[in-house]
Amino acid sequence: MKKSAALIFLTVFSVCALFAQITTDDAGLRIPEDRIRTGNEGFASEEFRRGVQAYYKGAFNEAIVQFEKALAYLPNDNLILDWLGKAYYKAGLEGSALSYWNNASENGYGGLLLENKIEIVRERRVTGDSTDKLMRFSEAGAFPGEFQGNMIFSGPVAVQPNYDGTMWIAAYNTNELILLNQNGKVINRVEGPINGFDRPSDILRLHDGKLLVSEHAGDRLALLDNNGRFEKYIGGRGRANGQLVGPLYLAQDYLERIYVTDYGNRRVDVFDKDGEPVFFFGGTDGDFAGLKGPTGIAVIDERVFVADDQNGNIIEFDRAGNYIRELVEKNTFLKPEALEFWNGSLIVCDSNRVLSVDADTGALFEYVRTGNAPTRVTSASPDVNGNVIVTDFTANEVYVMSKVQELVGGLFVQIEQIDASKFPNVTIELRVENRHRQPVVGLQEENFYLTENLRPVSKLKMLGAASNNTEADITIIIDRSVDSSIYAREIESSVKEIAAAMNGNGVLRIVAAGAIPAVEYIGKPDLIGDFSLAALKTKETSSAACDLALRLASNDLINAAKKRGIILITAGTSNRLSFEKYNLAELSSYMNNNSIAFSVIQLDQGALGDELSYISESTAGDVYYIFRPQGLSDVVKELIELPQGIYQLSYTSALTTNFGTNYLPLEAEVYLLNRSGRDETGYFAPLQ
C-alpha cells in the first residue's frame, strides 16, 4: 500500500511539475511562468491548433475562421495575429493580411523579418508585379573558367538558360558545352559526336526541346537531343543554299524555321524545322548595300533583326528576308555580337557593354558595363529568375547580372506547407521569390538552412523542386455568355487541342462560367472523349459570373499539382463577363499567392475587356488568339515552362511535442550568390 501510494503521489507530482514548466500554452501563445493557463487561453490554443492544421491543408477560409475564434479569446496575441495575416494572404485578401501584420508589428512582434514582409507585400499592391524594364544591372555572382588552377571551361562564347534554372555554356576554346546550375557547379559536359565540336559559337534550344549548336570552324550546325546527345548535322561548307562558311548565331521563329548568321557568306541562312534549307538573304537590296559582318540575330513575330559588326549597326528584315530599315545608324556599336529579345527590347552585346535597344524606335539604354579591363562580352541572355547571364570571352568568366533593387531587396521566402504526420521526420514545402513575385528557380540543397529555435536541424535533405515537373493540372473555364455561343465549334476544338497537348498527364478540369459557375469535368485529359458544348449542364446566359468561375477554379487547384493553371476561353471585347462578388485585386492575388497561372484564349481579335486585361497582366500566363498560326498546343507547353519556385525538403526534428500539443517552431534561410531571405513559422505534431 505504501509503494502504491508513493507511486500515485509521484505520478501526480510529475504532472503538476509538467504544467509548472510550461511557459507557453499548447499553441505557443505567451503565458507567464508564474500562473496557470486560463480557460480563454485553453480555448484559444485549441482553435489555434485547428487553424494551423487547416492552413497546411490549403483550407484557408477554414483557417481564417479558426484563427478569428482564437483571437476572440486572446485579442492581443501576436502569434495569432501573425497567422491570421498568413491565412488572409493565401486567401488573396492582402489588405486584411497587412492589417493584422501591422498590429503584430506595432506590438513589437516579428522584428525586421515581419517589417520586411509588410514592406514587400505593400509594395506589390502599389506597384504591381512588374518592375522597371530599363534599370541598371549589377553583378550578383561570377563563375570563372578556372578555379584553384584547375580548368573548368575556356572561351565562353554563348549561353542558353533553361527553364529549370540550369544553363548551357558554349565553350569555344575547349570545344564543348557545359551545363551549370545556379551555384555555378558543372553538372554535365557535352563534347559532341565522336569527332567532337569544331569551335561551337552559339547554342539554341528549339521549340521541340532539342539543342542546336553552330560550329564556326566546322561550317555546320549540330543537332542534339534535349540532354545533349548528338543526332545529326545540318548544312555543310559552301556558298550554295543550305551551305555555310563560319556560322555564328542562331534564332528560331514561331513557325520553327531556323535562322543562322553566316559570317563567311555575309548573309542569313534559313532552314525549316527538319534542317532542310529554305533560302538565304542579306545581299544587296535596292538602297541596302548588303550585310558586311552578320553576327547576332533575333526574330520577333514577323521581324528579323541582324547585328553587323563591320557597320556597327542593326538591320531589320521581314521574315521573307526583305530589307526594311536600319534600326540604329552605322557605327552606333563598336563590335556588336549576340542579340536577344527580352521585355519588348533587344539585348545587344558590344565589346564591354550590354545594351537594350528598343525594337520599334532604336532607343538605347546601357544595362551593364564590365569596366576597362580586357573584356569581350559575346552573349547576354535572360534566365528564368529575371537575371541576365553574360559570357565574357576574354576574361573567361560567366557573370550573373541582376537588377540593383533585387540585390538590395533580397529574397522573399515563405514556408507553405509542413507535413509532420511521421514525426520526428518532417517534410516541408517552401516558396522562394524576389521582391516582385518572380519565382527563384534552380536552387540546390546547399542553398537552404533550416533551424528549430535557431539550432540546425539534422538530416536535412532536398526532395525535389517543382520547376523540374514536366506535367501540370489545368482548369479550362468556358465562357457561356451569349457572345461566346457563336463560337461553339472553336471552343470545342480548343478544349480538344489543350487536352491533347497534355499528353495524358495531369488532371484536366472544365468549369462552365454561367450565371452560376459549375464544374463539368474532372479527370485525365485523354478521357475527355469527343467533347461537345451540348453536353454541358450549364446553360448559356446573358451575363457570365467570371469572378465566381475564377474563384471556383482556383479553389480546386490549391492542392493540385505544383504546376497548375487556368485557361479561360472567351470572346474578346464584347464578352459579357461580370465581376460583382470579388474585386480584381483579390482574384489576382489569390492566384498569385497560390502559384496559379492564368491564360486567356480569345475567340475574336478584339482587345480584352478592362477586367480581364487587369487580371491577365497581374498574373503569370499569356493571351492567345485561337487562330494563331502555330496552334494552341504551345499554351500547355508554355504553362509548364513557367518558372515555379517551390521546393520540398525533409529533416528530422529534435523538439519535444508534449503529446502533440506543443507548437514547434521552424526557421528557414535561403542563400543564392550574394542574396538571402528568411521565414519563420511553426507546426504541430500529431496528437497522441
Side-chain angles (χ1 to χ4, degrees):
M1 281 295 291
K2 290 183 180 180
K3 289 184 179 180
S4 298
L7 181 60
I8 293 172
F9 173 78
L10 288 173
T11 302
V12 173
F13 178 82
S14 299
V15 173
C16 292
L18 177 64
F19 280 98
Q21 293 172 2
I22 295 175
T23 59
T24 64
D25 73 356
D26 295 344
L29 312 179
R30 276 52 178 171
I31 297 174
E33 296 183 16
D34 59 352
R35 68 176 177 81
I36 302 298
R37 185 176 66 177
T38 67
N40 279 354
E41 290 160 351
F43 292 134
S45 299
E46 185 59 27
E47 300 295 351
F48 178 79
R49 185 176 64 82
R50 290 173 180 168
V52 171
Q53 292 173 332
Y55 179 92
Y56 287 137
K57 292 177 181 178
F60 304 123
N61 290 335
E62 179 184 343
I64 289 171
V65 171
Q66 299 297 337
F67 291 140
E68 288 188 335
K69 287 182 179 179
L71 198 64
Y73 291 114
L74 294 177
N76 295 315
D77 190 274
N78 293 323
L79 188 61
I80 299 176
L81 290 171
D82 184 20
W83 272 92
L84 191 51
K86 290 180 182 180
Y88 272 115
Y89 176 81
K90 293 291 284 183
L93 304 174
E94 293 181 342
S96 298
L98 287 171
S99 175
Y100 287 108
W101 284 336
N102 279 323
N103 288 344
S105 180
E106 290 170 1
N107 292 339
Y109 174 85
L112 291 176
L113 181 61
L114 183 56
E115 290 178 12
N116 184 60
K117 181 189 292 187
I118 292 170
E119 178 189 349
I120 290 174
V121 174
R122 183 182 291 124
E123 180 181 328
R124 288 176 175 178
R125 285 168 55 80
V126 173
T127 63
D129 300 332
S130 61
T131 59
D132 187 356
K133 295 178 182 179
L134 298 180
M135 181 178 293
R136 291 279 300 178
F137 279 70
S138 183
E139 184 180 314
F143 309 139
E146 291 187 19
F147 181 70
Q148 296 180 348
N150 297 317
M151 175 72 72
I152 301 173
F153 53 79
S154 178
V157 69
V159 59
Q160 172 59 61
N162 301 316
Y163 73 87
D164 63 356
T166 59
M167 64 194 82
W168 286 103
I169 305 296
Y172 187 87
N173 293 338
T174 49
N175 289 317
E176 62 184 345
L177 304 183
I178 311 294
L179 185 63
L180 302 179
N181 66 17
Q182 281 285 311
N183 300 304
K185 289 189 175 181
V186 177
I187 55 179
N188 194 11
R189 291 180 183 270
V190 174
E191 298 177 349
I194 295 177
N195 56 329
F197 294 123
D198 196 352
R199 302 304 182 188
S201 297
D202 195 16
I203 179 170
L204 174 70
R205 184 171 292 281
L206 302 175
H207 289 181
D208 61 5
K210 294 182 180 181
L211 298 171
L212 190 65
V213 179
S214 62
E215 297 186 46
H216 184 65
D219 302 318
R220 65 199 176 198
L221 310 179
L223 182 66
L224 317 176
D225 69 11
N226 58 355
N227 294 313
R229 288 186 288 268
F230 176 78
E231 290 192 354
K232 68 175 182 179
Y233 286 121
I234 295 174
R237 181 172 301 162
R239 299 192 179 279
N241 187 25
Q243 295 182 322
L244 307 160
V245 178
L248 284 177
Y249 292 98
L250 304 164
Q252 191 174 28
D253 67 13
Y254 63 83
L255 293 180
E256 302 185 43
R257 283 182 173 178
I258 298 164
Y259 297 73
V260 187
T261 51
D262 188 342
Y263 196 85
N265 285 323
R266 297 185 177 184
R267 69 191 189 193
V268 174
D269 296 278
V270 183
F271 299 84
D272 67 17
K273 64 179 181 180
D274 298 317
E276 296 298 320
V278 180
F279 65 96
F280 58 82
F281 64 89
T284 303
D285 183 1
D287 294 335
F288 176 54
L291 294 169
K292 303 301 180 184
T295 52
I297 186 167
V299 183
I300 308 171
D301 298 325
E302 299 297 330
R303 301 181 292 171
V304 181
F305 296 91
V306 181
D308 192 315
D309 72 351
Q310 297 300 305
N311 291 324
N313 64 350
I314 297 174
I315 311 299
E316 180 181 343
F317 302 87
D318 63 20
R319 285 198 313 110
N322 299 306
Y323 169 77
I324 303 298
R325 61 168 177 160
E326 287 187 349
L327 179 63
V328 297
E329 297 179 352
K330 289 182 175 64
N331 301 318
T332 298
F333 307 109
L334 294 175
K335 195 174 181 63
E337 300 205 42
L339 296 184
E340 189 82 28
F341 181 65
W342 185 47
N343 282 344
S345 299
L346 294 166
I347 300 177
V348 185
C349 295
D350 181 35
S351 186
N352 67 339
R353 301 182 300 166
V354 178
L355 304 102
S356 165
V357 180
D358 189 285
D360 296 320
T361 66
L364 301 180
F365 177 82
E366 187 177 283
Y367 277 138
V368 172
R369 183 181 289 268
T370 57
N372 296 322
T375 182
R376 179 187 167 193
V377 172
T378 53
S379 73
S381 186
D383 73 357
V384 70
N385 291 329
N387 305 312
V388 173
I389 311 299
V390 179
T391 58
D392 190 327
F393 184 84
T394 300
N396 196 33
E397 284 194 289
V398 176
Y399 308 120
V400 179
M401 299 290 186
S402 300
K403 293 180 178 178
V404 174
Q405 72 177 72
E406 296 297 341
L407 295 177
V408 174
L411 303 174
F412 188 51
V413 179
Q414 302 164 79
I415 300 173
E416 302 233 309
Q417 287 189 350
I418 299 181
D419 179 5
S421 59
K422 297 180 180 179
F423 191 87
N425 298 319
V426 181
T427 301
I428 75 165
E429 287 182 2
L430 52 79
R431 179 155 38 145
V432 185
E433 300 172 325
N434 66 13
R435 293 180 66 91
H436 296 278
R437 220 191 291 269
Q438 294 173 305
V440 176
V441 171
L443 301 180
Q444 306 297 314
E445 185 176 308
E446 64 196 83
N447 298 111
F448 298 93
Y449 181 66
L450 303 187
T451 58
E452 297 174 317
N453 280 330
L454 304 182
R455 297 176 181 176
V457 301
S458 63
K459 299 181 180 179
L460 176 63
K461 182 179 180 181
M462 181 171 166
L463 302 180
S467 58
N468 297 329
N469 295 358
T470 57
E471 61 182 61
D473 286 356
I474 295 175
T475 297
I476 298 175
I477 298 178
I478 298 174
D479 176 5
R480 295 294 284 157
S481 66
V482 292
D483 291 327
S484 295
S485 62
I486 60 175
Y487 298 97
R489 181 177 301 176
E490 289 81 0
I491 293 174
E492 291 171 353
S493 66
S494 299
V495 172
K496 293 174 185 177
E497 194 168 353
I498 293 169
M502 294 176 69
N503 296 318
N505 300 318
V507 176
L508 176 65
R509 295 172 175 83
I510 295 179
V511 171
I516 300 177
V519 177
E520 300 279 356
Y521 175 82
I522 301 177
K524 301 296 291 183
D526 52 353
L527 298 180
I528 196 170
D530 190 15
F531 174 76
S532 171
L533 286 179
L536 297 181
K537 299 187 293 291
T538 305
K539 303 303 180 184
E540 294 178 8
T541 179
S542 59
S543 178
C546 189
D547 55 346
L548 296 180
L550 287 172
R551 193 77 183 188
L552 175 62
S554 299
N555 289 342
D556 287 345
L557 289 173
I558 294 297
N559 292 315
K562 298 307 172 185
K563 288 191 173 181
R564 52 214 183 193
I566 296 171
I567 300 173
L568 171 64
I569 303 176
T570 181
T573 53
S574 59
N575 56 35
R576 303 188 182 185
L577 301 177
S578 65
F579 296 84
E580 298 177 354
K581 300 295 184 182
Y582 294 93
N583 69 48
L584 303 181
E586 291 174 359
L587 290 170
S588 302
S589 297
Y590 191 40
M591 288 186 276
N592 284 327
N593 296 344
N594 292 285
S595 304
I596 299 172
F598 175 66
S599 295
V600 179
I601 295 177
Q602 285 188 251
L603 299 170
D604 61 18
Q605 288 187 293
L608 288 178
D610 292 340
E611 296 89 348
L612 276 185
S613 293
Y614 176 90
I615 297 174
S616 177
E617 292 168 2
S618 302
T619 55
D622 212 336
V623 179
Y624 305 88
Y625 177 48
I626 187 170
F627 294 118
R628 62 202 297 259
Q630 59 269 53
L632 297 176
S633 59
D634 277 358
V635 176
V636 174
K637 176 178 178 290
E638 291 173 10
L639 190 152
I640 291 174
E641 292 182 355
L642 283 173
Q644 183 62 271
I646 295 179
Y647 301 86
Q648 189 177 70
L649 301 100
S650 67
Y651 67 94
T652 301
S653 175
L655 298 178
T656 302
T657 70
N658 193 24
F659 304 104
T661 59
N662 278 355
Y663 177 77
L664 309 178
L666 176 67
E667 306 89 35
E669 295 184 43
V670 179
Y671 302 91
L672 177 61
L673 301 176
N674 59 359
R675 286 191 289 172
S676 65
R678 177 182 171 85
D679 190 23
E680 296 178 356
T681 189
Y683 64 98
F684 291 92
L687 289 172
Q688 297 177 355

